[in-house]
Amino acid sequence: MKKLAVIPARYASSRFEGKPLADICGKPMILHVYQAVQNSNLFDEVVVATDDDRILSAVINGGAKALMTSSELNNGTERVEQALRILEKDNPQTHYDIVVNIQGDEPLIKQEMLKELLSGFENNDVDIATLKKIIENREEVLDSNVVKVVTAKDNKALYFSRCPIPFNRDESVEDLLKQRMYYKHIGIYGYRSEVLKKIVALNQTDLERIEKLEQLRWLENGYNIVAMTTEHDTVGVDTKEDLQKVIDILNKR
């Protein structure tokens, strides 16, 4: 299978403007992400997809590959899909079977996580792959910013929610934690390329609108999402406090 990794990166952000260019140990964050993905040696092509000249210049000047996408796109999924179409148009003989969406604010992404994600496509019935990790503390279970997922025995996702799922009718949260029943969703996605082109055309669904979770749109429309288990976690950079956490981690290496 020919595999493409796309890293969507926007300059505008309500919580942290210019986040992809934030300095981490002398290098823009977006280059840390790019190099981590490139060094995994799992992809035939790695590219940053942006809508900002400053990010484009920083990536190219750093020796990485980037392309411009529209500023009118609604989300990272649409940006990744547009990047795929641009690459296919520029190289008509090239076809990518799998496209992986790695957020531009994940500078600590690990090769093992990308391998686990890609392993989901060993099942030909899988349209989309993502990751899940055991939750080990009560705070994450109850935190609405931590998305939870429940899966079938074959790891196919049944539902994603900001609420604690499964709901503990007869037992406490602590009891279910001991039974390792709660899983955190880690928002890295892989798509079969033809599936990616179809899901960006779907209309928003009620469940997506209520939970503010795009993947519910895909589930509601019958696409199979597999959530592969990982023991690894990332530190997504949403705030300047998150940025300092990443810097501290890297400084200890």
Side-chain angles (χ1 to χ4, degrees):
M1 292 190 296
K2 199 170 182 67
K3 299 180 287 295
L4 168 68
V6 182
I7 305 166
R10 295 174 62 249
Y11 189 89
S13 172
S14 58
R15 286 190 287 180
F16 193 163
E17 189 174 47
K19 181 170 60 173
L21 301 181
D23 184 272
I24 298 179
C25 304
K27 188 164 53 181
M29 177 167 62
I30 191 65
L31 283 179
H32 282 272
V33 182
Y34 181 95
Q35 289 165 2
V37 177
Q38 181 72 32
N39 291 341
S40 73
N41 296 314
L42 294 170
F43 299 95
D44 299 278
E45 184 83 75
V46 181
V47 63
V48 172
T50 186
D51 61 353
D52 189 273
D53 288 329
R54 289 162 289 188
I55 297 174
L56 185 76
S57 296
V59 173
I60 293 173
N61 291 338
K65 183 170 182 176
L67 53 79
M68 286 292 287
T69 51
S70 171
S71 60
E72 302 301 317
L73 301 175
N74 294 310
N75 51 48
T77 306
E78 292 184 8
R79 198 167 307 283
V80 170
E81 190 268 346
Q82 188 171 94
L84 170 64
R85 290 189 181 274
I86 291 170
L87 290 170
E88 288 182 336
K89 182 179 179 181
D90 291 344
N91 302 279
Q93 304 306 313
T94 300
H95 171 76
Y96 295 100
D97 301 288
I98 303 297
V99 183
V100 174
N101 176 352
I102 300 109
Q103 296 301 317
D105 57 6
E106 297 281 359
L108 300 181
I109 188 71
K110 296 178 176 64
Q111 180 194 50
E112 292 84 357
M113 300 174 77
L114 297 171
K115 279 185 178 178
E116 289 158 346
L117 178 78
L118 290 170
S119 71
F121 292 104
E122 293 171 5
N123 181 343
N124 292 329
D125 292 335
V126 169
D127 299 313
I128 301 164
T130 189
L131 294 175
K132 64 180 180 180
K133 181 183 182 297
I134 287 284
I135 296 177
E136 299 178 348
N137 64 75
R138 175 185 175 89
E139 290 71 27
E140 282 197 326
V141 173
L142 301 178
D143 187 347
S144 62
N145 291 314
V146 176
V147 177
K148 275 69 68 174
V149 58
V150 291
T151 58
K153 291 182 179 180
D154 59 0
N155 285 323
K156 286 182 182 175
L158 299 174
Y159 194 67
F160 297 85
S161 182
R162 297 183 182 279
C163 292
I165 51 174
F167 176 74
N168 46 306
R169 193 193 74 165
D170 298 321
E171 301 178 83
S172 68
V173 169
E174 287 73 17
D175 288 332
L176 294 191
L177 279 169
K178 290 176 184 176
Q179 297 173 48
R180 300 170 70 83
M181 292 294 295
Y182 293 113
Y183 282 89
K184 169 186 178 180
H185 174 228
I186 296 177
I188 305 166
Y189 294 102
Y191 323 86
R192 296 197 189 274
S193 60
E194 297 311 309
V195 169
L196 175 60
K197 292 174 183 177
K198 291 176 181 177
I199 62 175
V200 296
L202 297 172
N203 293 323
Q204 188 182 60
T205 60
D206 287 338
L207 289 179
E208 176 192 3
R209 178 182 57 78
I210 293 166
E211 293 255 21
K212 299 296 187 288
L213 297 174
E214 183 186 16
Q215 60 270 37
L216 293 177
R217 183 193 313 187
W218 312 334
L219 276 183
E220 281 194 84
N221 280 278
Y223 288 95
N224 288 322
I225 305 175
V226 67
M228 305 303 291
T229 302
T230 182
E231 295 181 357
H232 305 283
D233 206 346
T234 61
V235 179
V237 178
D238 292 318
T239 65
K240 292 185 178 180
E241 290 74 22
D242 295 332
L243 180 67
Q244 190 58 52
K245 289 179 187 176
V246 170
I247 292 171
D248 291 343
I249 290 170
L250 291 177
N251 282 333
K252 291 177 182 177
R253 290 182 177 178

